[in-house]
Amino acid sequence: MKFIFKVHIKPGHSAEQYADAWVRASKILQRAPGARGTLLHRMIGDPACLIAIASWDSKAARDAMEHRRDAEVRSILAEAAQYCDITIIGEFDEPEWVVNPP
């Protein structure tokens, strides 16, 4: 499954500041059972807008991680809140089928 959220960088801060915190938190979160990686993308034409995509084996695996989130991750996320506002886009199943053009 994919957990997707939008990050809007606050004025006076940079995407690089958020990315530093995001990498530190991701390194810890990716140790959780079922974690399959994360991606952070910058929006074309708006360097203050990012989208993050976290991949998990299942919603249950991600929910389990949320229930046991450690103090270091909470601290990193509190720090990152100074730099940005986060909007959760949602949780998405893996596609049942994929169409690739020839």
Side-chain angles (χ1 to χ4, degrees):
M1 66 84 69
K2 305 285 190 238
F3 180 75
I4 302 174
F5 58 96
K6 182 178 178 181
V7 180
H8 187 280
I9 304 301
K10 294 177 181 178
H13 297 282
S14 70
E16 289 75 17
Q17 284 177 298
Y18 175 75
D20 175 68
W22 182 81
V23 166
R24 288 184 283 130
S26 289
K27 284 181 180 178
I28 297 166
L29 295 173
Q30 289 306 299
R31 295 183 208 144
R36 297 176 66 192
T38 57
L39 299 169
L40 185 64
H41 300 270
R42 191 185 317 240
M43 180 180 236
I44 295 171
D46 186 355
C49 184
L50 312 172
I51 192 165
I53 303 169
S55 297
W56 292 86
D57 285 343
S58 66
K59 179 175 174 10
R62 186 181 181 287
D63 290 349
M65 175 280 300
E66 281 290 334
H67 289 13
R68 63 176 183 276
R69 185 178 283 177
D70 71 16
E72 185 176 3
V73 171
R74 285 193 301 273
S75 175
I76 293 168
L77 295 178
E79 171 195 337
Q82 301 173 63
Y83 312 139
C84 67
D85 293 311
I86 293 176
T87 303
I88 296 171
I89 295 172
E91 300 170 316
F92 297 82
D93 282 329
E94 294 295 330
E96 292 178 16
W97 55 279
V98 177
V99 177
N100 292 313

